């Protein structure tokens, strides 16, 4: 996590709040850094939420898909999945490590999504990808999440949580948990179906949000 935090702090200071992701993945490809969230595991809170769901005939979008663990899982539930990440190196590695995948992996920026994606997906999944963003870009990213949700579709947000509505954020200490206000910003005009707050069961338990919003 140290290298990721260093790069994030440098990028925030330079006004390039998202460029550090590509640099981190590139350094990891060269063997000089580690991507701390590339643990090879599907998010367990997504697995719990998706239990019993059938994605046949539905389109899903995974925001900041990284190395594709969650996207591949949803494809296994018969969703037609698109996964995107702002880091082209992450996408290249994901395609290389998933030969024959049915998932469409693309390099794209949440702040400038393809126009064709507006209102196009039955399920949009965002897990831990906005938390590392700092400053104004963070709110812009949160406000962009509901855009790709189709009529009748769902936005699922899973994030670290805080009940402090005005938390101090040291640029060198990302990721920063989402406040309830930020969670509501992600939902935007969508109807709130369910908001859960709970402690996860990891080796270092942390407070989490799992929120489901729907476009009626």
């Amino acid at each position: 996590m140290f290298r990721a935090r260093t790069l994030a702090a440098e990028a925030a200071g330079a006004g390039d709040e998202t460029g550090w992701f590509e640099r981190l993945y590139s350094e990891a490809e060269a063997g000089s850094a580690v991507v701390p969230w590339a643990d090879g595991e599907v998010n367990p809170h997504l697995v719990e939420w998706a239990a019993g769901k059938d994605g046949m005939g539905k389109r899903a979008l995974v925001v900041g898909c990284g190395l594709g663990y969650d996207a591949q899982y949803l494809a296994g539930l018969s969703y037609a999945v698109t996964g995107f990440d702002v880091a082209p190196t992450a996408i290249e590695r994901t395609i290389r490590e998933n030969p024959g995948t049915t998932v469409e992996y693309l390099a794209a920026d949440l702040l400038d999504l393809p126009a064709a994606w507006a209102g196009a997906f039955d399920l949009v999944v965002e897990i831990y990808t906005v938390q590392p963003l700092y400053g104004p870009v963070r709110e812009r990213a949160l406000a962009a999440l509901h855009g790709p949700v189709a009529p009748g579709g769902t936005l699922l947000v899973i994030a670290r949580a805080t009940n402090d509505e005005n938390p101090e954020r040291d640029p060198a200490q990302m990721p920063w948990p989402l406040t309830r206000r930020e969670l509501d910003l992600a939902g935007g005009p969508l109807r709130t179906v369910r908001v859960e707050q709970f402690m996860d069961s990891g080796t270092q338990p942390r407070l989490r949000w799992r929120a489901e919003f729907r476009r009626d």
Side-chain angles (χ1 to χ4, degrees):
M1 184 64 80
F2 176 77
R3 182 55 178 162
R5 283 176 169 167
T6 298
L7 291 175
E10 291 175 354
D16 179 20
E17 295 91 344
T18 61
W20 66 273
F21 290 101
E22 170 60 16
R23 187 173 173 187
L24 179 64
Y25 277 103
S26 295
E27 290 183 5
E29 282 288 277
S32 59
V34 173
V35 179
W37 50 85
D39 57 6
E41 301 292 332
V42 179
N43 185 277
H45 311 308
L46 170 63
V47 173
E48 184 179 50
W49 177 86
K53 289 181 170 59
D54 181 1
M56 184 64 68
K58 298 178 181 179
R59 297 184 69 194
L61 181 68
V62 179
V63 177
C65 65
L67 299 186
Y69 313 131
D70 298 330
Q72 292 297 132
Y73 172 75
L74 290 173
L77 297 180
S78 300
Y79 286 93
V81 182
T82 298
F84 77 92
D85 201 282
V86 73
T89 297
I91 294 299
E92 292 167 5
R93 178 177 167 184
T94 301
I95 293 172
R96 185 174 69 245
E97 294 184 351
N98 293 279
T101 181
T102 61
V103 178
E104 180 184 28
Y105 288 109
L106 300 167
D109 187 341
L110 177 60
L111 303 177
D112 187 21
L113 294 177
W117 288 4
F121 294 90
D122 302 288
L123 174 63
V124 175
V125 175
E126 189 283 320
I127 303 176
Y128 301 158
T129 61
V130 176
Q131 295 173 148
L133 299 181
Y134 183 80
V137 71
R138 183 180 175 100
E139 292 207 356
R140 289 174 56 205
L142 286 163
L145 289 175
H146 63 78
V149 179
T154 295
L155 169 64
L156 178 69
V157 177
I158 297 173
R160 291 188 183 187
T162 178
N163 289 317
D164 184 348
E165 282 303 315
N166 293 289
E168 292 186 11
R169 289 174 176 152
D170 181 345
Q173 293 298 317
M174 74 86 188
W176 304 280
L178 265 61
T179 66
R180 178 57 194 262
R181 184 190 67 81
E182 289 178 318
L183 197 64
D184 291 339
L185 177 61
L190 308 187
R191 176 171 59 86
T192 302
V193 176
R194 181 180 298 108
V195 174
E196 302 170 83
Q197 190 182 79
F198 56 91
M199 296 294 293
D200 69 13
S201 57
T203 54
Q204 293 183 316
R206 298 181 186 276
L207 195 62
R208 295 288 191 257
W209 295 117
R210 181 169 56 196
E212 182 179 345
F213 305 94
R214 185 162 301 145
R215 190 184 300 282
D216 292 328

